[in-house]
Amino acid sequence: MIYTSRFSNPELKTGKYTAVRISVGSPRWKVGYDISGAISELMPKGIFGKYETKAAFEVEYRKRLECIGVDYIRKLIAGYELLGKDVVLLCYEDVRKGESDWCHRTIFADWWREKTGEVIPELPDPSPVKGVRKVKKADEPQTTLF
């Protein structure tokens, strides 16, 4: 199975997964698990931070994925699957916060599903979402950012 997630997901510390970096940079903190390698072809090198909107970034990132192709990406991921554990493609963003924290890994997962029919889900993350506070108002839950 292939997943996507963020480096800070505590589930990764269980040792059940092969962690693979697809971010431009590496974490500068001790993550508490081994990162087995990186797939530079999935990194947003040269386009990260270059576009003002998610839509503009997505167009460019998808162009890159099209050039690389499903078959080659499948071979890159398969090399990590040989280690015998589920593979998790990692970067930084906590996409549980909503559209404001979008990430190239979710764009990749959507592209992959469209091209192959295979779903790459986000690895469940048991930690609380930081920066989001639940506020109850008149018996109706409401989420507010602070």
Side-chain angles (χ1 to χ4, degrees):
M1 181 82 177
I2 304 166
Y3 294 96
T4 59
S5 191
R6 63 189 184 113
F7 290 112
S8 296
N9 185 342
E11 175 65 17
L12 294 164
K13 294 178 183 179
T14 64
K16 298 177 189 176
Y17 308 96
T18 297
V20 179
R21 182 173 65 86
I22 63 167
S23 60
V24 173
S26 296
R28 293 185 178 152
W29 70 91
K30 209 169 189 148
V31 293
Y33 56 88
D34 291 330
I35 297 176
S36 298
I39 299 177
S40 63
E41 290 83 354
L42 299 182
M43 296 175 188
K45 292 184 288 188
I47 59 173
F48 180 75
K50 187 176 177 182
Y51 297 94
E52 291 184 28
T53 65
K54 176 186 177 186
F57 174 88
E58 186 168 356
V59 166
E60 293 305 311
Y61 188 62
R62 282 174 171 267
K63 282 181 191 175
R64 176 175 294 168
L65 295 173
E66 289 293 333
C67 288
I68 298 166
V70 168
D71 292 339
Y72 188 66
I73 294 170
R74 190 181 301 279
K75 286 178 188 175
L76 294 170
I77 294 171
Y80 290 104
E81 289 176 316
L82 291 174
L83 297 174
K85 298 178 183 178
D86 291 340
V87 173
V88 185
L89 305 175
L90 297 168
C91 65
Y92 294 96
E93 285 72 30
D94 188 349
V95 298
R96 300 173 301 161
K97 292 181 181 181
E99 193 63 25
S100 64
D101 265 6
W102 60 271
C103 177
H104 76 287
R105 73 179 187 259
T106 57
I107 295 170
F108 169 70
D110 289 343
W111 177 85
W112 188 260
R113 181 184 39 76
E114 291 164 15
K115 298 297 176 183
T116 68
E118 299 167 17
V119 174
I120 299 178
E122 185 75 4
L123 184 68
D125 187 333
S127 64
V129 179
K130 294 180 182 175
V132 175
R133 176 177 60 207
K134 296 263 185 181
V135 178
K136 278 191 121 180
K137 200 174 195 182
D139 295 335
E140 191 172 286
Q142 179 181 352
T143 301
T144 57
L145 298 177
F146 58 90

